Amino acid sequence: MKAHPVAARAMRMGITLLVVAVAVFFMVRLSGDPIAIIAGPDADPLQIERMRERWGLDRPLYEQLFAFLSGIFQGEFGYSIVTGMPAAELFLERLPATIVLGLTSLALSIAIGLPLGIIAALRHNTALDRFVMSLSVMAFSMPNFFLGILFILLFSLHLRWLPTFGSGSLLHLILPVMTLGLSSAGAIARFARSCMLDVLNQPYMLAARARGIRPQRRTILHALPNASIPLVTILGLRLGDLVAGAIIVETVFAWPGIGRLLAESVMSRDLAVVQIIVLATATTMVLANLAVDIAYGWLDPRLRKS
């Protein structure tokens, strides 16, 4: 008996997240003993043993794994070894800052990358096309931390227009958003150009041109709707990449989001906090892929019927 598509997709999502949960459980424990790091090299062995017992790290690994997985189903993600606070509470405290940074960066990257890609495709093999593509390659190939440092040197230290780091005002948001947004804009511009070129060379576009339809009308009514289907893929991936892409940028600009929290937690081997952030990132990616599939069906009725 064939499973319903929605049920099959939900099952695949559940299996993916279960695999991620098991993988992150073992990976964070392979990175070192968190109690030894927190207690320091001069700590009393008896004190270290008591701390292991307190946090359940003295139990066999399979028991720890079972407790971790059963806790997820009950909405319990453990406690931070460093602060003693619930990991979920620490995560939720930092989440709004990352959402603001991620969504603003995504909006900037779409606003810049999409028009540039379309213009480059419409001016294919011209000086403007080569200039736009050179800029986009430079933008997405430059590491985020390097681009962020360049912006700090220019806008904060030289021009003194914007704060170097921190949060609390819109001015603090500009440099992190520019760093994340421009990098993504380069990738979106290249992908949009490729999608548009594929569509512009289709027979129906040549037929529309032969019928004398004006270029603006051909682009808006015929090319853009068809080019938007593959474009949804990269936009969905960028949406799911909000947390992963923000780790370095939030660290460079001391932005109080979950990317910076993850970097701090990895350094201190704060197991529960690392686990919940990685799981949240994986869930975001899975949901983004689901949203892409739904958008495909909405944009192309043939896919919805199939």
Side-chain angles (χ1 to χ4, degrees):
M1 181 179 177
K2 191 175 180 181
H4 190 278
V6 177
R9 188 171 296 166
M11 188 180 297
R12 286 199 298 271
M13 289 172 55
I15 293 172
T16 301
L17 293 177
L18 180 62
V19 171
V20 171
V22 174
V24 70
F25 172 85
F26 284 108
M27 287 183 69
V28 293
R29 280 157 181 79
L30 288 174
S31 62
D33 184 0
I35 301 300
I37 293 173
I38 294 172
D42 301 326
D44 187 283
L46 183 60
Q47 181 189 0
I48 292 178
E49 196 56 37
R50 284 176 180 167
M51 290 178 70
R52 282 204 181 94
E53 185 179 352
R54 177 187 174 192
W55 295 108
L57 298 175
D58 61 327
R59 297 157 61 188
L61 209 53
Y62 71 88
E63 286 188 15
Q64 294 182 42
L65 176 61
F66 179 76
F68 169 58
L69 295 178
S70 59
I72 291 175
F73 287 106
Q74 298 170 17
E76 294 287 340
F77 295 91
Y79 290 82
S80 165
I81 297 176
V82 177
T83 64
M85 294 174 62
E89 189 175 325
L90 285 172
F91 172 78
L92 292 175
E93 277 182 1
R94 300 289 191 96
L95 184 59
T98 294
I99 290 177
V100 169
L101 175 61
L103 292 182
T104 312
S105 304
L106 185 64
L108 178 68
S109 63
I110 293 173
I112 295 176
L114 202 55
L116 285 181
I118 293 171
I119 290 171
L122 295 175
R123 299 289 184 268
H124 181 49
N125 276 339
T126 63
L128 180 61
D129 177 25
R130 288 188 284 275
F131 176 70
V132 170
M133 286 303 99
S134 299
L135 281 182
S136 63
V137 170
M138 190 184 303
F140 79 77
S141 60
M142 194 175 294
N144 279 342
F145 75 90
F146 183 70
L147 192 59
I149 290 173
L150 284 182
F151 285 152
I152 289 175
L153 290 174
L154 177 61
F155 294 106
S156 298
L157 300 182
H158 182 67
L159 298 176
R160 298 182 183 277
W161 289 352
L162 298 168
T164 310
F165 59 85
S167 61
S169 71
L170 285 176
L171 292 179
H172 291 91
L173 186 63
I174 293 176
L175 289 185
V177 166
M178 284 173 58
T179 305
L180 266 180
L182 290 182
S183 177
S184 294
I188 291 175
R190 287 192 64 82
F191 203 77
R193 175 183 179 272
S194 175
C195 294
M196 282 295 292
L197 284 178
D198 286 342
V199 171
L200 291 174
N201 292 322
Q202 293 296 318
Y204 60 85
M205 290 300 299
L206 299 177
R209 185 177 181 181
R211 291 200 303 271
I213 299 177
R214 289 183 302 172
Q216 294 85 351
R217 187 177 177 83
R218 291 202 307 267
T219 301
I220 296 173
L221 295 183
H222 298 276
L224 277 179
N226 290 289
S228 63
I229 296 173
L231 265 174
V232 167
T233 303
I234 191 169
L235 294 181
L237 292 176
R238 289 291 165 185
L239 179 65
D241 202 29
L242 293 181
V243 177
I247 294 173
I248 295 175
V249 172
E250 288 185 1
T251 304
V252 170
F253 292 100
W255 185 257
I258 57 176
R260 186 179 168 205
L261 178 63
L262 177 60
E264 295 168 350
S265 302
V266 168
M267 294 296 291
S268 60
R269 308 292 194 278
D270 203 347
L271 305 182
V273 180
V274 174
Q275 288 169 173
I276 189 174
I277 293 176
V278 174
L279 277 177
T281 306
T283 305
T284 305
M285 293 295 289
V286 168
L287 292 177
N289 276 287
L290 178 63
V292 167
D293 289 343
I294 295 173
Y296 276 165
W298 181 68
L299 291 169
D300 190 344
R302 294 170 301 176
L303 297 176
R304 185 167 59 243
K305 290 176 182 176
S306 65

